[in-house]
Amino acid sequence: MAPLNSEHQPRRRLSLHEYLSMRLLKEAGLRVPEGQVAKTPEEAYRAAKEIGTQDLVVKAQILAGGRRKGVFEGGFKGGVKVVFSPEEARDVSAHMIGKKLFTQQTGEKGRICNEVWVCKRVYPRRECYFAIAMERAFQGPVLIGSSQGGVSIEEVAAEDPGAIVTEPVNITEGLRKEQALQLAEKMRFPTPLAREVADSMIKIYNFFIKYDATLVEINPLAEDSAGSVICLDAKVKFDGNSAFRQKEIFKLQDWTQEDTRDRNAVKADLNYVGLEGSIGCLVNGAGLAMATMDIIKFHGGTPANFLNVGGSATVQQVTEAFKIITSDSKVQAILVNIFGGLMRCDVIAQGIVMAAKDLELKVPIVARLQGTRGDDAKTLIAESGLKILACDDLDAAAKMVVKLSEIMILAKEAQVDVKFQWPVD
């Protein structure tokens, strides 16, 4: 059997900035507010002038929710601001661009705001919530609607679950007009407007399918002062496995919004997810990776990451994997758990040795290498003279790496310098 192509291994979902999502929805035939993106305060001023109205909204572009209640570094409050002149748009933008915005979703790390979206303010008569999501529970797409829009849907779900209605869609048949119309009526749109809302839902569904989206959230989907349907805000997520056929969409990804480790992992064709623990994990196979994290937790440790090198990793990829793992300052020990089937253990061993030498690793490594060329891998590690602790039993390896991590953490707290030196004399 040939190794799986890394291009088809699971990847994380792609999120786009609001202004890009709005642009795509407009191309799909939906009404959105007139607006322009700006990367400097002066560009924001010119955008506001070109829009040609005194009623404007300036929105910080970060990939996180809760912008309206967020706080910028420096103390400026609010990532969504109503302004009444191009001059005010420029002044507000100056407080946003180049600053980190902290919201409930970003946590203490915040997200850098490199752009703002300056758009025409819309005065809605009514605001509703509408989304399409790919849900396992429904075995396909599901429409989600509520008459309560423009607010946190999580709060609505907690306070009034009956206010949220769902409509599963048979993905082979597509969204039928009568389905969309029924949902629009349940969202309390009056009959004449409900037909227009249903048409918009069908356009959004077609967009969802065309671009391999996993979520399209319009909050709010509104009726404007002229009685027409308009999308006032949008969040779109795309299935990372579709990158090979959605190349133009994936070119729009803003890597400044992502962790450097995530960016480096994608470049190296590695599947990586950073966590909050102290034990770095390098494993082949998603199932084995999950089992490895479970056994670390069972023995009292906490994994620092999910990292799956797959079945066709090269020495260079393994070395890059170690660079990514050790770039996390929380990592105090590393567990390598390889079951060699497609993946050769000697390739992993070469990568471990190269990484230990090149990166001058100062954290202990426990390696469990079983399967294809497992004996060759053990020989490579033994002959390297490096202090890498080999262990054939996974349970024993997990116990060992947890203990080593605890020693490193205690030494760090006591400000005692613990060194694991390579090579061993």
Side-chain angles (χ1 to χ4, degrees), residues 137-392:
F138 292 95
Q139 299 183 345
V142 59
L143 310 184
I144 307 165
S146 175
S147 60
Q148 300 180 35
V151 295
S152 169
I153 195 64
E154 290 81 9
E155 291 180 8
V156 174
E159 296 172 5
D160 185 10
I164 298 175
V165 292
T166 59
E167 179 67 34
V169 179
N170 184 323
I171 198 167
T172 58
E173 296 178 0
L175 177 59
R176 303 190 312 275
K177 180 67 177 284
E178 56 268 28
Q179 276 184 293
L181 188 57
Q182 286 175 4
L183 184 64
E185 290 172 347
K186 289 179 182 178
M187 292 165 63
R188 300 180 186 173
F189 283 102
T191 302
L193 188 62
R195 294 191 183 93
E196 186 181 343
V197 171
D199 288 338
S200 295
M201 289 179 178
I202 292 170
K203 289 177 182 177
I204 295 169
Y205 178 82
N206 292 338
F207 168 89
F208 178 90
I209 296 298
K210 177 182 178 181
Y211 289 110
D212 294 296
T214 57
L215 173 70
V216 178
E217 182 181 62
I218 311 297
N219 189 21
L221 179 67
E223 176 191 2
D224 65 15
S225 57
S228 297
V229 178
I230 186 168
C231 303
L232 293 186
D233 201 345
K235 178 166 69 175
V236 183
K237 292 185 178 181
F238 302 89
D239 185 351
N241 293 304
S242 69
F244 71 99
R245 66 169 170 252
Q246 300 291 353
K247 293 179 180 178
E248 293 305 311
I249 293 293
F250 278 75
K251 285 179 183 178
L252 302 174
Q253 183 161 13
D254 182 359
W255 285 108
T256 67
Q257 299 289 302
E258 305 291 343
D259 190 296
T260 303
R261 292 167 292 173
D262 294 330
R263 179 166 66 246
N264 292 339
V266 170
K267 287 181 179 178
D269 275 333
L270 298 168
N271 295 309
Y272 171 87
V273 179
L275 302 171
E276 297 300 319
S278 60
I279 299 172
C281 303
L282 189 154
V283 191
N284 70 316
L288 187 59
M290 296 299 290
T292 302
M293 293 191 292
D294 284 344
I295 200 167
I296 287 171
K297 289 284 288 183
F298 179 77
H299 289 297
T302 50
N305 64 271
F306 168 99
L307 197 155
N308 171 19
V309 296
S312 57
T314 64
V315 172
Q316 290 73 24
Q317 282 178 303
V318 175
T319 304
E320 187 61 35
F322 269 94
K323 288 181 182 178
I324 293 167
I325 291 171
T326 56
S327 67
D328 183 350
S329 61
K330 298 189 299 295
V331 171
Q332 301 300 319
I334 298 172
L335 174 59
V336 178
N337 184 19
I338 299 296
F339 184 78
L342 296 174
M343 185 70 248
R344 286 167 38 187
C345 292
D346 60 328
V347 171
I348 297 291
Q350 290 175 46
I352 295 172
V353 171
M354 183 181 294
K357 291 179 178 178
D358 293 352
L359 303 177
E360 299 180 354
L361 296 181
K362 294 179 174 60
V363 296
I365 300 172
V366 178
R368 176 183 179 265
L369 303 170
Q370 295 288 306
T372 306
R373 297 201 177 179
D375 292 337
D376 293 344
K378 293 171 187 174
T379 301
L380 283 168
I381 289 174
E383 291 179 350
S384 72
L386 300 176
K387 193 173 182 181
I388 299 169
L389 306 175
C391 190
D392 290 342

Side-chain angles (χ1 to χ4, degrees), residues 31-50:
R31 289 187 66 240
V32 301
E34 180 184 354
Q36 296 183 29
V37 67
K39 296 183 178 182
T40 67
E42 284 304 317
E43 285 185 8
Y45 172 81
R46 289 196 294 271
K49 290 279 284 186
E50 289 179 19

